[in-house]
Amino acid sequence: MGIFSRNFDRPGPGVPKDQPRKKGAARFFELFFRDFGDLIKLNLLFSIVAAPSVILFILGAAPYMLGFYELNFIFLLLSLVLAFPIGGACVAYTYYITKMMRDDPSFVWYEFKRKFKENFKQAAPVGIVCAAFIYMQIIMWFQMYFQIVDGVYTGGLMWFVLALLSFLFYSMITPYIFMHYSYIDLKTFQIIRNSMLMTFAYLPRSFMGGLLGSIIWIIMALQFPNSMLFFPFVVLIFISLSMLLTLTWVWKPFNTHFEVEETLKKRQEEETENIETVL
């Protein structure tokens, strides 16, 4: 009989109520395999929101990418104009991944839409700045690629190091910014200031989170043009995967510093008590 005779309706041992969460790599792989479908949905939703800006950027930078050393600044400017919803999308998928880390089940589309609407306006300037930085990085990497002669990079080492360090710092600070938007009611200036302070206050975790979150993109940049074959995976999973790698390291200090889970738990208990009182 074997597998076909099993009774899947019979209760199993379950999960102990106070069982501690896994840590490090074990926690990452637990979340990755458990919520793989949600990560893909998040990635696709973000890709849809960012698509208009990205398409215009490609049109503006295509001549340069093809080696003609010309940029269409009209298309590049329009790509930044259409980047205004990217900030809200970044907050939405960062929030949902932290919900996964809190083991708080929910529906991807509902939570993404809710957080996007809540943070759409406030996070718009940050989204435009982030898009401008990424687009600038892409152009810089193409410039360095054109300076490779017979497999040897002939450009200045300073630009290569600057591109790496700036992208690493970007990957270190932006998760804190989007987590602030997700949970803390502050003005944008205060969010950026707090995020910079937390980046350096928890520097080892910030560094590891930023490094692991950016490693996929650095490898793709170093393997160009072969890395273009992985573009479908960028649309499908790479963005969510990078954020999950980063948040595996930086969510704990943020959660501990602001007591996010404890505050949400108390709020939920109060709401339950109020409902029971009414009934």
Side-chain angles (χ1 to χ4, degrees):
M1 299 293 288
I3 189 173
F4 298 106
S5 62
R6 293 182 182 179
N7 182 4
F8 292 99
D9 293 327
R10 185 175 58 194
V15 179
K17 181 178 179 181
D18 298 323
Q19 181 182 15
R21 291 171 181 166
K22 297 177 181 179
K23 298 180 180 180
R27 179 62 171 166
F28 167 78
F29 285 110
E30 177 187 39
L31 294 172
F32 178 76
F33 289 113
R34 186 191 72 185
D35 300 308
F36 183 74
D38 285 352
L39 290 172
I40 290 180
K41 293 174 185 176
L42 278 174
N43 211 106
L44 291 173
L45 285 170
F46 179 81
S47 298
I48 291 170
V49 173
S53 176
V54 173
I55 291 172
L56 283 172
F57 168 75
I58 293 174
L59 292 174
Y64 188 85
M65 295 175 180
L66 295 174
F68 296 106
Y69 303 101
E70 294 180 359
L71 293 170
N72 188 318
F73 289 99
I74 295 178
F75 279 126
L76 293 180
L77 181 61
L78 288 174
S79 72
L80 295 181
V81 172
L82 290 184
F84 67 91
I86 290 179
C90 288
V91 175
Y93 82 71
T94 300
Y95 173 75
Y96 192 86
I97 292 177
T98 59
K99 278 181 70 72
M100 289 165 42
M101 304 188 79
R102 292 191 282 111
D103 297 317
D104 185 4
S106 56
F107 296 102
V108 176
W109 169 244
Y110 171 79
E111 292 294 348
F112 188 93
K113 182 174 68 172
R114 182 174 70 86
K115 296 304 290 186
F116 180 81
K117 287 183 176 180
E118 288 180 2
N119 298 276
F120 174 77
K121 292 182 179 179
Q122 187 182 10
V126 173
I128 293 173
V129 171
C130 288
F133 175 82
I134 295 299
Y135 295 160
M136 181 185 68
Q137 280 276 320
I138 293 173
I139 293 173
M140 286 179 64
W141 282 100
F142 267 98
Q143 183 179 10
M144 289 187 288
Y145 172 73
F146 293 138
Q147 293 176 321
I148 297 176
V149 179
D150 296 329
V152 178
Y153 176 62
T154 60
L157 181 62
M158 181 186 69
W159 288 106
F160 180 76
V161 174
L162 179 63
L164 282 176
L165 292 180
S166 61
F167 188 73
L168 178 59
F169 180 73
Y170 169 88
S171 301
M172 290 168 61
I173 190 173
T174 49
Y176 289 109
I177 292 175
F178 298 135
M179 285 191 291
H180 271 82
Y181 277 121
S182 299
Y183 293 101
I184 312 299
D185 186 16
L186 293 173
K187 294 182 178 179
T188 296
F189 173 77
Q190 295 172 312
I191 287 175
I192 294 175
R193 182 194 62 188
N194 282 7
S195 298
M196 292 186 67
L197 291 174
M198 292 192 72
T199 297
F200 291 103
Y202 303 102
L203 188 58
R205 281 187 168 271
S206 300
F207 175 78
M208 287 303 301
L211 179 63
L212 291 176
S214 61
I215 196 68
I216 295 175
W217 313 109
I218 293 175
I219 292 174
M220 288 183 65
L222 294 175
Q223 293 298 315
F224 183 85
N226 296 329
S227 58
M228 295 300 292
L229 297 174
F230 292 95
F231 182 76
F233 294 97
V234 174
V235 177
L236 193 66
I237 189 65
F238 279 1
I239 300 170
S240 294
L241 177 60
S242 296
M243 184 55 73
L244 179 60
L245 282 166
T246 299
L247 292 178
T248 301
W249 283 90
V250 302
W251 165 246
K252 182 178 180 180
F254 183 88
N255 181 35
T256 303
H257 185 85
F258 290 106
E259 300 180 340
V260 175
E261 287 193 83
E262 183 177 345
T263 301
L264 292 175
K265 184 178 179 181
K266 289 180 179 178
R267 188 180 302 170
Q268 187 176 19
E269 291 175 351
E270 290 175 358
E271 290 176 355
T272 303
E273 290 178 359
N274 291 335
I275 293 174
E276 291 177 350
T277 302
V278 172
L279 295 177

